[in-house]
Amino acid sequence: MNSKIIATMLCTLALAGTAAGANAKGCLKGAAVGAVAGHYAGHHAVAGAVGGCVVGRHMANKKAADQAAAAHASAPAAQPAPAK
């Protein structure tokens, strides 16, 4: 059983390695957590890894968008040009 988990994680790493680095952000951690959760929820490690990857990517994209919005909001406003 442990070999199935390890094989699933290795396959996930191989698939994520072929994708662009930005697209894999959050996928690896989510897939690992999903594989373990799926394994304990009825030997569905592969389905858990796929679901974990999707959720992990969604959360990483949301975090990046929130950080970009916070950086944009905290940026100083442009100063008007002085009148001549």
Side-chain angles (χ1 to χ4, degrees):
M1 286 187 226
N2 289 337
S3 61
K4 287 183 182 180
I5 292 174
I6 293 170
T8 301
M9 292 175 81
L10 289 175
C11 288
T12 304
L13 287 172
L15 290 174
T18 60
N23 290 338
K25 201 169 210 172
C27 181
L28 295 177
K29 187 191 302 183
V33 171
V36 171
H39 170 72
Y40 286 110
H43 301 288
H44 299 293
V46 175
V50 171
C53 178
V54 171
V55 171
R57 283 192 61 197
H58 170 72
M59 291 176 69
N61 289 338
K62 184 177 178 184
K63 182 178 178 182
D66 289 346
Q67 287 177 346
H72 181 68
S74 66
Q79 297 292 330
K84 290 185 180 183

